[in-house]
Amino acid sequence: MPSEQIQWFPGHMAKTRRMISENLKNVDIVIEILDARIPYSSRNPEITRLTAEKPTLLLLNKASLADPRQNKRWQEIYTEGNTVCLLTDCITGEGINRMGPVIKEILAEKLRRYEEKGMHGRRVRAMVLGIPNVGKSSLINRICGNKKTKVENRPGVTLDKQWVSTGIGVDLLDMPGILWPKFEERRVGENLALTGAIRDGVLDIETLACVLCKRLRTLYPDELAARYKLGDMTDYEELSDYDLFCTIGKKRGFLISGGEINTERTAIMLLDEFRAAKIARITLDRFSKEEVRRA
C-alpha cells in the first residue's frame, strides 16, 4: 500500500467550515455524530477545534452495525468533561428517546438561568455536525418522525445549512458533512473509505478490499472464516492480504474465463457485506482513552 496521504476535500467543505464558525453563537450545544464502526476515524479534529467552547453531545451512530463490546468502550472513552456520548441507531431507534433528556441535563445550569430571566419554555438550539454519510439526515428524520431532510447513502448530499424543529424541545441546525483537508494517518483515510464517508472511487476498490481483509483477519478472524467458509484461519497465516482476498473470491465462485478471480466483483461484494454487517458487527478503531487524548 502506498504511504502517501489520502486527500479529499471538495470546495463546499471549506464553505461549511466558515458556516460553523459563523453560526456557533446562535446555538446552545453541538451534536456531533460519529460512525460507531470507526469512532476515532470519524471524529473530525477540525470540528473539535472549532466547537471547543460549546457543550457537546457525541452520538455513536449506526450502533447496530458496530461491535457491542466496542460500543460500550468508546462511549466510556468519549464521556468526560462537558462532553457526553450516547449510542444511537436510525434503524433500531436505539438512543433516540434519550437525546432530549440528556441535552437538557447537559444544559441544566443554562436553562435554569433562562428561567430566572423569565424566558420560560425557550427552545434549545443545537448544531448538528459530522462527516459525510455518517447518518445525520437519517437521524434527524428519525427524531422528527417524518421526512425533513434529504437522505441518500452517499457522501455530500446535504450542501447547505437548514433549521429543523423537533418534538423533543430542540431546534436543530443541520450542517453539511465536513471532512478535513488532509488525513495525516493513512489508516484514518482508509477507514473513512471503507465505511463510505469518502466516495467510492477515490481509492482503488480492489486495494480497499485488501485493506478490509487485513483489518478483519486481525480483528475478527473467526467471523471472517465463518462468513466465507475458510475453515481454520491459521491455514492462511502465510498468505498475503491480496491472496486471502483472492481466496475469498474463489470460495464465492467469482471466476472468469481461464479460472481467474473476478477481483472487482469480489471487492464490491466484500465492501457491501461489511457495510451491511453481514460479516459481523464490526468496529475497526481500537484505541485506549490515553491514546485518544494524545491524538
Side-chain angles (χ1 to χ4, degrees):
M1 175 71 68
S3 60
E4 71 272 8
Q5 296 163 333
I6 299 169
Q7 299 187 46
W8 188 70
F9 196 67
H12 72 270
M13 292 189 182
K15 174 186 173 185
T16 300
R17 205 162 42 180
R18 292 193 298 272
M19 283 196 296
I20 292 172
S21 297
E22 292 167 0
N23 286 276
L24 271 175
K25 62 182 181 295
N26 300 321
V27 301
D28 304 297
I29 189 170
V30 169
I31 300 174
E32 184 179 357
I33 304 178
L34 310 180
D35 187 323
R37 297 168 297 177
I38 51 169
Y40 173 81
S41 299
S42 61
R43 191 165 193 195
N44 186 337
E46 293 215 341
I47 290 178
T48 304
R49 178 181 59 81
L50 289 169
T51 64
E53 302 305 314
K54 287 285 180 180
T56 299
L57 174 60
L58 282 180
L59 302 181
L60 292 180
N61 198 34
K62 303 187 180 183
S64 69
L65 303 180
D67 187 328
R69 294 165 299 180
Q70 294 300 317
N71 282 346
K72 291 180 180 179
R73 278 193 68 251
W74 281 99
Q75 190 174 15
E76 292 171 359
I77 287 172
Y78 278 147
T79 297
E80 62 178 357
N82 67 344
T83 299
V84 175
C85 183
L86 285 181
L87 300 174
T88 56
D89 194 275
C90 301
I91 298 173
T92 66
E94 179 180 0
I96 304 298
N97 292 336
R98 293 194 60 202
M99 288 180 60
V102 168
I103 288 171
K104 289 172 183 175
E105 183 178 333
I106 295 171
L107 297 175
E109 180 60 25
K110 188 172 189 177
L111 294 176
R112 184 185 62 78
R113 292 199 300 269
Y114 285 148
E115 288 288 329
E116 290 175 350
K117 294 176 182 178
M119 301 168 66
H120 304 293
R122 182 190 180 281
R123 290 177 66 84
V124 172
R125 292 169 297 186
M127 180 182 289
V128 184
L129 299 171
I131 65 171
N133 207 34
V134 78
K136 281 195 305 94
S137 296
S138 295
L139 188 74
I140 291 171
N141 290 341
R142 182 82 191 218
I143 295 169
C144 296
N146 53 26
K147 189 172 183 180
K148 292 281 188 179
T149 59
K150 188 173 183 180
V151 178
E152 289 187 29
N153 189 26
R154 60 184 177 87
V157 172
T158 303
L159 298 179
D160 206 351
K161 66 178 183 179
Q162 56 181 326
W163 280 101
V164 180
S165 182
T166 74
I168 62 172
V170 181
D171 289 337
L172 304 176
L173 179 56
D174 181 24
M175 305 290 279
I178 178 174
L179 288 170
W180 50 114
K182 190 183 298 181
F183 309 129
E184 301 295 341
E185 301 174 65
R186 185 171 183 85
R187 182 185 183 91
V188 167
E190 290 169 345
N191 284 350
L192 292 170
L194 286 168
T195 55
I198 299 173
R199 63 175 174 81
D200 291 334
V202 171
L203 292 180
D204 174 75
I205 192 168
E206 284 94 343
T207 301
L208 192 58
C210 289
V211 170
L212 180 60
C213 285
K214 180 179 182 178
R215 300 273 199 278
L216 297 180
R217 75 191 302 181
T218 301
L219 299 175
Y220 296 92
D222 294 339
E223 292 82 354
L224 181 67
R227 179 66 185 176
Y228 300 110
K229 299 179 172 58
L230 298 174
D232 190 342
M233 283 301 293
T234 59
D235 295 337
Y236 302 93
E237 288 179 352
E238 301 302 317
L239 288 187
S240 67
D241 299 323
Y242 177 77
D243 287 337
L244 177 59
F245 163 70
C246 290
T247 299
I248 291 171
K250 186 175 181 180
K251 289 282 186 180
R252 278 293 175 95
F254 293 166
L255 305 176
I256 54 180
S257 58
E260 293 185 13
I261 308 299
N262 187 329
T263 55
E264 182 179 12
R265 187 180 176 194
T266 302
I268 291 171
M269 177 274 297
L270 271 168
L271 290 174
D272 285 349
E273 293 200 351
F274 159 68
R275 291 171 181 175
K278 291 183 178 179
I279 300 170
R281 293 178 62 178
I282 288 167
T283 300
L284 296 177
D285 280 333
R286 302 292 179 90
F287 296 98
S288 67
K289 179 174 283 192
E290 290 69 30
E291 288 172 321
V292 171
R293 283 174 176 166
R294 288 198 301 266

